[in-house]
Amino acid sequence: MFFRSSSILVRSHAKINVSLRVLGKNTADYHLLEMFNVPLELHDALEIDMAPDSDESFITVDDIALKHHMRANICTKALNAMRERFNFREHFMIKIHKEIPFAAGLGGGSSNAAALMRGIVDLLHLNTNVEELMNIGKDIGADVPFFLMNKPAIVKGIGEIVLPVNCQKTYFCLLIKPDDGLATKDVFEKYDQIGLETHDSNVQDIAEAFKEGRLNDLSVLRINDLEKPAISLLPEIQNLIDSLQEEKVPVVGMTGSGSTVFALFENFKTAKEIAKKYIRTDKYTVFLTRTMM
């Protein structure tokens, strides 16, 4: 007799953009990007329960500050897209347990959407594969295809091209988020206003430096084209970058559109000692986590 579980718990990981370059815009006026993204052990958790007696699905978030924000909306979008593609009738109670901060550049909303898609596939035993899910995901959110793959990857286009990078090296990752967040839309608008120069592609070199543990090279090679516009909106980002660089941290930068600043370490003791200096203040949200392979 076939048994199907009525509930599932799915991890929803954060990410950092080790590098992010804006290459221009496509005909639909979307920014074209070239990134090297790495998933982190830091994660939210999605509790997905079948709701056999309900004629609709419900999504809740245990952070009241996010009740009306995009995180729940993008999960609704993912659920609707999956229902349209696979034509299932089942409804769900979906509880999002939060760790990843909002408006932080860590991809929390897109990660939640990808985790929900994977959870539904497992619960309903849908006949699909990651390539098909990524094709669905690209219309849900720019980072959703990456989170469906959930491996270090070069990401291009508007997020739909995901090229996995086989990394055996992991790092300790310190994340420091100022109290204020930044909306991705605002940062890209500021980028367009500033009109920054474009750069030649070096994303392959960045990926190689990361996987081979050449942190000094990585520090020189990496760039985030959104740092300058984000700093113009929130100068505290620059203060954090300067402060960490004074600590002689090998690799420091802003992830995504901000406002989180990350630092990479090979040594846990060093990472922990530096993390303590920021945990002691009430100005920041601080996490010490690891990159994933």
Side-chain angles (χ1 to χ4, degrees), residues 144-163:
V144 173
F146 166 75
F147 280 115
L148 286 163
M149 185 74 70
N150 209 41
K151 296 178 180 178
I154 293 169
V155 182
K156 298 183 179 183
I158 58 173
E160 81 281 13
I161 302 170
V162 182
L163 307 172

Side-chain angles (χ1 to χ4, degrees), residues 3-270:
F3 174 76
R4 186 165 77 181
S5 175
S6 63
S7 65
I8 192 170
L9 189 67
V10 188
R11 287 188 174 187
S12 170
H13 292 272
K15 58 84 184 165
I16 53 170
N17 304 92
V18 176
S19 184
L20 186 158
R21 292 200 157 162
V22 183
L23 303 183
K25 290 186 177 182
N26 63 13
T27 55
D29 209 35
Y30 287 107
H31 290 89
L32 297 171
L33 306 177
E34 184 177 72
M35 304 174 284
F36 179 54
N37 295 354
V38 179
L40 303 175
E41 288 184 354
L42 173 68
H43 62 273
D44 296 340
L46 271 68
E47 184 180 346
I48 308 171
D49 295 292
M50 302 281 285
D53 298 325
S54 178
D55 58 0
E56 60 181 314
S57 295
F58 297 91
I59 300 174
T60 61
V61 185
D62 64 6
D63 185 339
I64 193 168
L66 302 179
K67 185 177 180 182
H68 300 296
H69 276 292
M70 189 63 183
R71 194 177 306 274
N73 292 342
I74 196 171
C75 284
T76 300
K77 191 175 180 182
L79 178 58
N80 291 340
M82 291 290 284
R83 190 183 302 281
E84 180 177 350
R85 169 62 185 85
F86 297 104
N87 197 32
F88 54 81
R89 296 184 178 181
E90 289 87 348
H91 287 284
F92 310 92
M93 292 289 295
I94 300 156
K95 301 174 185 175
I96 305 174
H97 303 283
K98 292 300 308 130
E99 287 291 336
I100 305 169
F102 180 70
L106 296 168
S110 292
S111 178
N112 291 167
L116 176 57
M117 293 170 70
R118 295 196 311 269
I120 289 173
V121 168
D122 290 345
L123 265 181
L124 301 184
H125 298 279
L126 299 177
N127 183 22
T128 186
N129 54 51
V130 69
E131 288 77 17
E132 181 177 26
L133 293 175
M134 288 170 66
N135 191 49
I136 298 168
K138 66 182 174 62
D139 295 322
I140 297 169
D143 284 327
V144 173
F146 166 75
F147 280 115
L148 286 163
M149 185 74 70
N150 209 41
K151 296 178 180 178
I154 293 169
V155 182
K156 298 183 179 183
I158 58 173
E160 81 281 13
I161 302 170
V162 182
L163 307 172
V165 175
N166 183 22
C167 292
Q168 299 304 313
K169 183 82 175 175
T170 64
Y171 303 92
F172 298 101
C173 182
L174 174 61
L175 303 171
I176 307 174
K177 181 191 174 297
D179 283 342
D180 292 329
L182 289 173
T184 300
K185 179 175 179 290
D186 294 343
V187 176
F188 273 106
E189 285 180 355
K190 181 60 72 171
Y191 174 88
D192 290 337
Q193 291 171 14
I194 294 175
L196 297 173
E197 62 180 288
T198 58
H199 304 272
D200 294 332
S201 172
N202 69 343
V203 70
Q204 195 67 50
D205 294 336
I206 291 166
E208 289 296 322
F210 182 92
K211 68 184 289 188
E212 293 173 7
R214 293 185 281 113
L215 290 186
N216 288 336
D217 289 346
L218 185 63
S219 179
V220 174
L221 290 168
R222 68 152 301 279
I223 191 169
N224 184 339
D225 283 340
L226 298 181
E227 273 184 20
K228 286 184 179 179
I231 288 166
S232 72
L233 295 170
L234 186 60
E236 182 61 23
I237 294 169
Q238 185 66 62
N239 295 338
L240 275 172
I241 291 172
D242 292 344
S243 175
L244 286 164
Q245 288 177 337
E246 288 173 5
E247 299 277 0
K248 308 298 183 185
V249 177
V251 180
V252 179
M254 185 188 81
T255 178
S257 57
S259 59
T260 301
V261 172
F262 72 89
L264 296 178
F265 302 82
E266 293 186 287
N267 183 278
F268 175 72
K269 183 178 179 181
T270 303

